[in-house]
Amino acid sequence: MSSPSCATTTSADRLDLLRLLLQQTDRHPPGAVDGVDLADADPAFVERLLAEGILTDEGPLQDIAPDSASQDGLPRPIWRRDDKALALSIDGESAPEQVDPRELVQYPIDVLRLCGAIRNDNGLIGSGPEILSSRTILIGWKSDAVGRRPIVLCRLLRDGNAYEVVHMLTSRLNADRLILLTPTERTLAVDVLNGL
């Protein structure tokens, strides 16, 4: 009985990590995760993400932006010893603050490779992944009873650009029906959704 439960937990953990990676890509430029984000993740899954180039280990940062509530908004130099790190004040007037050293190790996300993994894991067909614009990536094509439709990851989609994005995609992909995936939940206005 414990094995299925363990497998379900691991699967849920992987899904949570993939959601986090996608959320971090819904920025300009796309973001990164740090060692704290990966601390509780399945180590084998993290190794897979690193081996496939979806995550890159850039090593520790030398400076860290302080907590905006406690400092003047400037990056602070980091003092390290063994497994401890302190953020020091630049002017020497603020007290040093403890920093979790895992926060200092950044893992940038390769969005195109992430889309490639999504494509492979879901058995999509046709061309892709392919960058169509700074905000859109063709992941692949899905065939079903309705026909063959492109699946596109669409970053930073909002009311002001939705028509433009959909028009560009339908024209470029020669498709009248699209499946748009957004890395984070997007609530578009009702009139925009009806228009699309």
Side-chain angles (χ1 to χ4, degrees), residues 31 45 53 65-66 71 86 103 108 142 149 182 188:
F45 187 55
Q71 295 298 324
L86 290 176
E103 288 182 46
K142 178 171 179 57
R149 295 181 289 169
T182 58
L188 298 178

Side-chain angles (χ1 to χ4, degrees), residues 22 25 54 109-122 124 128-131 136-140 151-155 181 183:
L22 284 168
T25 68
I54 294 168
I109 302 161
D110 186 318
V111 183
L112 195 59
R113 289 187 185 208
L114 179 58
C115 287
I118 292 169
R119 171 192 168 81
N120 294 339
D121 289 349
N122 290 282
L124 301 180
E130 176 187 349
I131 296 173
T136 56
I137 297 175
L138 172 65
I139 297 176
I151 298 179
V152 179
L153 180 72
C154 189
R155 300 171 50 247
L181 303 178

Side-chain angles (χ1 to χ4, degrees), residues 57-63 80 101 104-106:
D57 183 350
E58 278 198 342
L61 297 174
Q62 296 308 308
D63 296 307
R80 300 165 191 273
L104 304 178
V105 182
Q106 297 291 298

